[in-house]
Amino acid sequence: MQKTKNIAIIAHVDHGKTTLVDAMLKFAGVFRENQKVEERIMDSNDLEKERGITIFSKNASLFYQDYKINIVDTPGHADFGGEVQRILKMVDTVLLLVDAFEGTMPQTKYVLKKSLEQGHRPIVVINKIDRPNCRPHEVLDMIFDLFMQLNANEHQLDFPVVYASAKDGYAKLDLDETSTNVKPLFDTIIKHAKDAEGDIDLPFQFLTSAIEYDNYLGKMGIGKIHNGIVRQGDEAVLIKSSGSVVLSRVNKILAFEGLAKVEVKEAFAGDIVSLAGFDTIDVGETVADKDNPVALPSINIDAPTLSMTFMANNSPFCGKEGRFVTSTNIWKRLQRELQTNVSIAIERTESQDAFVVKGRGELQLSILIENMRREGYEFQVSKPEVIYKELNGKKTEPIEIVIIDVADEYVGVVIEKMGTRKGEMINMAQGEDGYTRLEFKTPARGLIGFRNELLTETRGTGIIHHNFFDYEPYKGTIPGRSRGVLVAMESGTALSYALDNLQERGNMFIDPGVAVYAGMIIGEHSRENDLEVNVCKGKKLTNMRAAGSDENIKLIPPRRFSLEQALEYIDYDELLEVTPKNIRMRKKMLDRIDRKKASKKLAS
């Protein structure tokens, strides 16, 4: 039986988890010497490569000395915390990666807290020691303070420390040592990481931590064998979350070798494998011995804090750009997402064409939207809204811990802006590089739309990270968007002449030649109210020429929105129309008379 160690790499976003996995795989000889290897090998999804972040947790394995080491690369962004929570059930040790310059961040605290609750003893890796102005000694003190703050026990407080530069592919146990590879990291893992737990003599038990699909094998469960042995062809039972038991057969067992999966005839307690043969398997469910079916404790995932309504597109441009446009198509796609994404929830509404999707944050929901539009779906979404709870008879709302790094000269404006959004400052630390770190406790709804405002007010120098903290009593009204929008009053094609005449009214979002429809948002008004404008109005042509009126039109370049920026920008009476080719902002009610009636009704 192979000796096994199961390790998850956890950290805040962009602290170098995936790059460290690259270095470990290369050192372990997973690739040939002449093999061309891309950076961030584990980032297999197109969106992951484009954004440089890990969205989905992924498995790899390598061999070192007498051990098989299963490595799980986890997301670092708080919105994908559900991925981290389920993965921690699958491993016995974690590598906590911390940037030697940035230090501990909100997600570092979140993932470490979850890891300590599982009883793991982390191995701390202080990464990016090659960075200028790095401060590994200070960062180590910050990590120790965080362990104390999270009530780590004596065994967990005595954590081993490795210093590394994942980008340059080396690690060392002392900053004064010289090193050319990551061997010291491997030696630390062998010495301090727990061997995979499990008893091969007990009845078979397997906990599903992830789901994947295969065109030939169907739905497959990935997880750890907690006890016993499983062989291809064995009969086993699937114990559902509801408590019901389904008898089935293990058709295939796939184990991880390097980045590939290989078929094996049997697998033992402690190993991480993928099982086929259970069509209805879901995350958190147990596959067990048919003669002695005992369920393992399920995986508890933090509840969603944000909701958004997905609906079929009903704009005048409906069906022109997407392949999947009906509410049935959208519902089926959302159900498919539900099978693999454990931290979202989907509910039907009174309308047949609209569905409420609940998640952990704007980024998680925007990734879902982006994936859907790339697959050919066309639909509309509402502005994200926080999910309130009633606790002890009082209305409560989700609170976030927010860390903002900003240039010193903009500290005052950030504190002022966070104050209007009910932010409570809990810490302030001035750095040596002209930047100050501000820490706030803020209602989650106060952060919707704040990222754009922060970048504008700080001239692009503000960097924000936030993480869910807890539910606290409702903090009161928070002012929304301070300016109104310019709304097209008729359908047609936007013309340069009309856009030029409207430039003094506000900032444009569209170019000349863009097709528009009545009710579509084409710009931001310079005042608080919305303004109906005609962007399709052309110049009246005559036989006469005038020297003063025939000069060239000079248009200010329009403001461009990414998907996340558009989601943050729209207001509660607006929608985002998403197609494979375009993202358009529009009013919920396209007819201006209907909008006037609704605003009068609201005012009364």
Side-chain angles (χ1 to χ4, degrees):
M1 180 179 160
Q2 176 76 54
K3 290 193 287 185
T4 308
K5 291 185 185 286
N6 299 320
I7 296 173
I9 301 184
I10 58 174
H12 187 80
V13 64
D14 201 31
H15 279 198
K17 297 176 302 300
T18 307
T19 310
L20 183 67
V21 175
D22 289 1
M24 293 174 74
L25 291 169
K26 287 173 184 173
F27 177 76
V30 170
F31 308 106
R32 301 187 311 274
E33 285 188 22
N34 63 344
Q35 186 172 345
K36 185 184 176 185
V37 180
E38 296 180 16
E39 285 187 7
R40 305 193 321 274
I41 311 152
M42 296 281 273
D43 283 351
S44 53
N45 181 277
D46 287 343
L47 276 177
E48 292 180 317
K49 289 179 179 175
E50 288 170 23
R51 295 169 184 243
I53 61 172
T54 302
I55 297 169
F56 309 103
S57 59
K58 287 172 279 308
N59 299 62
S61 76
L62 46 86
F63 294 90
Y64 182 73
Q65 294 180 3
D66 299 328
Y67 283 89
K68 178 183 182 182
I69 302 174
N70 288 313
I71 301 173
V72 189
D73 183 19
T74 62
H77 198 284
D79 285 16
F80 308 106
E83 293 277 313
V84 178
Q85 282 180 266
R86 62 184 174 82
I87 290 312
L88 291 177
K89 282 271 190 181
M90 202 159 64
V91 299
D92 305 288
T93 307
V94 294
L95 292 186
L96 177 69
L97 204 68
V98 183
D99 189 308
F101 175 75
E102 290 188 352
T104 55
M105 299 290 278
Q107 182 69 356
T108 315
K109 181 175 181 178
Y110 172 83
V111 292
L112 179 60
K113 179 172 179 279
K114 296 296 178 188
S115 173
L116 295 176
E117 285 172 0
Q118 293 286 335
H120 297 317
R121 181 195 180 199
I123 295 171
V124 172
V125 180
I126 298 178
N127 190 30
K128 302 190 183 182
I129 57 171
D130 56 311
R131 277 185 71 168
N133 303 323
C134 70
R135 45 191 186 129
H137 294 300
E138 284 180 55
V139 168
L140 182 57
D141 291 340
M142 291 167 73
I143 296 167
F144 189 80
D145 290 344
L146 185 58
F147 270 74
M148 293 287 287
Q149 188 183 334
L150 296 175
N151 299 318
N153 61 40
E154 288 183 19
H155 183 62
Q156 291 168 330
L157 281 171
D158 187 22
F159 52 82
V161 181
V162 179
Y163 301 94
S165 169
K167 187 179 78 170
D168 293 335
Y170 68 83
K172 46 191 174 182
L173 303 179
D174 192 292
L175 285 168
D176 298 327
E177 292 176 0
T178 55
S179 177
T180 57
N181 56 42
V182 291
K183 184 177 183 297
L185 175 59
F186 275 96
D187 292 338
T188 304
I189 290 170
I190 298 300
K191 183 178 178 183
H192 294 283
K194 277 169 63 176
D195 286 2
E197 294 181 335
D199 189 338
I200 61 168
D201 297 322
L202 289 176
F204 173 62
Q205 284 178 303
F206 168 93
L207 183 66
T208 313
S209 296
I211 296 293
E212 64 177 352
Y213 289 90
D214 185 279
N215 290 335
Y216 301 101
L217 300 172
K219 199 172 181 183
M220 302 173 68
I222 301 174
K224 177 184 168 186
I225 302 173
H226 284 252
N227 289 306
I229 302 171
V230 62
R231 296 181 178 87
Q232 189 173 316
D234 280 358
E235 283 191 334
V237 295
L238 172 64
I239 305 172
K240 302 290 292 176
S241 303
S242 60
S244 62
V245 175
V246 181
L247 180 64
S248 192
R249 188 179 298 276
V250 179
N251 292 334
K252 282 278 192 298
I253 306 169
L254 300 176
F256 295 90
E257 279 192 17
L259 293 169
K261 283 193 295 227
V262 295
E263 188 179 332
V264 295
K265 297 297 181 187
E266 61 181 6
F268 303 91
D271 204 0
I272 294 174
V273 295
S274 186
L275 297 184
F278 304 90
D279 294 336
T280 60
I281 194 167
D282 281 313
V283 169
E285 295 178 347
T286 304
V287 179
D289 183 84
K290 71 181 179 72
D291 297 323
N292 194 0
V294 179
L296 289 160
S298 190
I299 299 169
N300 295 318
I301 303 294
D302 287 349
T305 57
L306 212 62
S307 72
M308 193 183 287
T309 304
F310 283 53
M311 62 197 85
N313 188 11
N314 62 1
S315 83
F317 293 169
C318 167
K320 290 186 176 181
E321 297 171 358
R323 286 191 298 133
F324 308 109
V325 296
T326 66
S327 57
T328 305
N329 292 141
I330 296 165
W331 174 254
K332 285 181 179 176
R333 175 61 181 84
L334 291 174
Q335 288 299 303
R336 204 165 77 236
E337 184 70 20
L338 198 60
Q339 291 178 331
T340 56
N341 192 338
V342 294
S343 56
I344 68 165
I346 299 165
E347 298 171 2
R348 285 190 178 273
T349 63
E350 293 176 2
S351 167
Q352 290 291 318
D353 294 335
F355 317 104
V356 175
V357 180
K358 298 178 179 180
R360 295 284 282 269
E362 286 172 271
L363 180 62
Q364 184 193 25
L365 294 171
S366 71
I367 292 290
L368 170 59
I369 294 167
E370 183 64 35
N371 278 325
M372 287 177 67
R373 73 184 285 245
R374 290 186 182 200
E375 292 164 18
Y377 287 84
E378 182 179 308
F379 53 101
Q380 298 175 143
V381 294
S382 68
K383 184 180 181 67
E385 297 183 49
V386 301
I387 299 169
Y388 298 104
K389 281 185 181 179
E390 191 163 309
L391 298 174
N392 302 323
K394 291 185 178 179
K395 183 180 180 181
T396 64
E397 62 177 324
I399 303 295
E400 304 264 333
I401 294 292
V402 184
I403 289 182
I404 300 173
D405 289 312
V406 65
D408 292 344
E409 60 263 37
Y410 300 115
V411 167
V413 72
V414 170
I415 293 173
E416 181 190 342
K417 293 294 178 186
M418 288 298 285
T420 62
R421 291 168 178 266
K422 308 294 182 185
E424 173 193 335
M425 191 162 75
I426 53 178
N427 196 17
M428 177 176 175
Q430 191 162 8
E432 298 174 1
D433 54 350
Y435 272 69
T436 298
R437 174 167 291 184
L438 304 168
E439 194 169 344
F440 298 88
K441 249 171 66 174
T442 312
R445 61 195 165 96
L447 296 176
I448 297 174
F450 179 65
R451 195 179 299 267
N452 288 333
E453 192 176 343
L454 175 71
L455 290 172
T456 303
E457 297 291 346
T458 64
R459 306 295 185 270
T461 65
I463 301 167
I464 181 170
H465 296 287
H466 55 91
N467 197 52
F468 174 70
F469 173 65
D470 203 354
Y471 271 83
E472 289 187 0
Y474 181 69
K475 303 294 182 185
T477 306
I478 293 175
R481 195 173 64 200
S482 58
R483 293 184 179 182
V485 289
L486 302 175
V487 185
M489 67 166 60
E490 66 176 52
S491 301
T493 303
L495 299 175
S496 300
Y497 176 75
L499 292 173
D500 182 44
N501 289 332
L502 292 169
Q503 285 192 125
E504 61 186 27
R505 296 285 193 177
N507 301 319
M508 296 299 147
F509 298 162
I510 61 170
D511 289 301
V514 170
V516 300
Y517 53 79
M520 180 173 154
I521 295 168
I522 57 93
E524 182 178 71
H525 193 197
S526 55
R527 299 187 180 181
E528 290 182 8
N529 62 307
D530 294 343
L531 183 68
E532 302 272 344
V533 295
N534 186 357
V535 289
C536 306
K537 182 181 178 183
K539 183 180 179 182
K540 293 286 185 287
L541 300 177
T542 68
N543 291 338
M544 306 299 290
R545 295 194 57 157
S549 60
D550 285 339
E551 71 269 9
N552 289 331
I553 291 172
K554 294 179 182 177
L555 295 175
I556 298 168
R559 183 174 165 188
R560 311 284 183 193
F561 284 86
S562 67
L563 177 61
E564 283 90 359
Q565 288 170 337
L567 283 173
E568 287 183 345
Y569 185 82
I570 58 174
D571 216 332
Y572 294 104
D573 64 337
E574 297 161 1
L575 296 172
L576 193 65
E577 179 186 351
V578 180
T579 77
K581 295 181 181 176
N582 287 292
I583 295 170
R584 303 183 186 95
M585 290 178 275
R586 52 160 283 186
K587 287 292 182 181
K588 279 184 181 177
M589 295 180 179
L590 295 178
D591 187 82
R592 58 179 170 176
I593 297 170
D594 290 342
R595 289 200 298 275
K596 281 182 181 177
K597 285 180 182 175
S599 62
K600 282 180 182 176
K601 193 175 179 181
L602 199 67
S604 61

